[in-house]
Each structure stands twice: as structure tokens, then as C-alpha cells.
Amino acid sequence: MRHQMKYGLLIFVLLTVFFMCKEKTNPADTAPTIASLPNVEGEWTLEWENGIHQIQLDLEGKKILFDGNEGLELDLDSMGIRIRAYDEETVKGYFLYSDIKSKSWIGTWENRVVRLIRRK
């Protein structure tokens, strides 16, 4: 009987430790449904370092074309979109959903505040 209590207590402790150490997801990392987001898809212009760049956003495919070229992708979270190169962890750009206007969108690009202008 004593051995059963010891094993029961050991199992209880192990299960408690297991569930306490289990990795929890951060709610901020959970992207909302695309249908609930403001309309961010389409063509945008970015003025960056004395140059004008064309950006095309595709939320469904989580892709971005930068001056007509691939190589960047979108990561959606609960607050905005992160733009990064496929082969890098570093975020190139970040734009909050709350900052989008009908014709412009303020965000950051390589740690500088920038504005995207919607092209029609």
C-alpha cells in the first residue's frame, strides 16, 4: 500500500511539473482571420532612402512583391503584419492594422518610421 501511494505521489508530481513547463502560446502571436482585417491587400508605394519602391501585398498567400520581385514574406499577428526576408529572422517592416488609413499606412521599415501610399 505504501508503494502505491509513493508511485501515485510521484506520478502526480511529474504530471504537475509537465503541465507547468508546457510551452504556452502568446495571444499576441495569434493572427486574426483575414476576413476580420482591414483591407491591406494591393499595391503600395514606399519612399525609402531617396528611392520609390512598389510593394504588393497578398495576405492569403502571405507573400509580398517588392519592386516586382519575390523574396519577402508576411507574418500576421494580432496587432499587425511583419515583413521579412525568407531566409532571415530579422523583421524588415512592421505595420499595425490600427494605423491603416484609406490611402496611407504608417509603419516601420528597417527601424525607421515610413509611410506606404496606396496605389489605385
Side-chain angles (χ1 to χ4, degrees):
M1 188 70 131
R2 285 186 137 190
H3 293 295
Q4 289 176 343
M5 285 179 52
K6 285 182 183 178
Y7 289 126
L9 181 60
L10 179 63
I11 290 172
F12 174 75
V13 169
L14 289 175
L15 286 175
T16 302
V17 169
F18 174 76
F19 284 110
M20 288 177 65
C21 294
K22 186 177 173 185
E23 185 175 328
K24 295 178 177 126
T25 59
N26 185 343
D29 292 336
T30 304
T33 61
I34 292 175
S36 69
L37 298 177
N39 181 16
V40 301
E41 289 192 332
E43 294 183 33
W44 298 85
T45 299
L46 168 67
E47 292 183 18
W48 176 250
E49 293 187 350
N50 300 324
I52 296 176
H53 303 279
Q54 303 307 315
I55 294 176
Q56 187 158 358
L57 301 176
D58 174 14
L59 291 185
E60 298 259 347
K62 294 187 179 179
K63 292 184 181 177
I64 180 171
L65 294 178
F66 188 80
D67 291 335
N69 300 311
E70 294 185 0
L72 299 175
E73 68 180 354
L74 299 174
D75 292 323
L76 307 175
D77 64 27
S78 66
M79 302 297 290
I81 64 168
R82 292 183 296 263
I83 299 171
R84 63 181 180 78
Y86 288 127
D87 57 349
E88 294 179 16
E89 291 292 320
T90 309
V91 174
K92 221 174 201 8
Y94 190 75
F95 296 87
L96 296 172
Y97 304 127
S98 61
D99 289 338
I100 193 168
K101 307 290 186 246
S102 63
K103 302 219 183 249
S104 67
W105 196 3
I106 301 292
T108 62
W109 193 268
E110 294 184 1
N111 297 321
R112 293 187 191 166
V113 176
V114 296
R115 179 173 55 167
L116 296 178
I117 306 296
R118 190 183 295 270
R119 297 185 64 203
K120 290 288 178 171

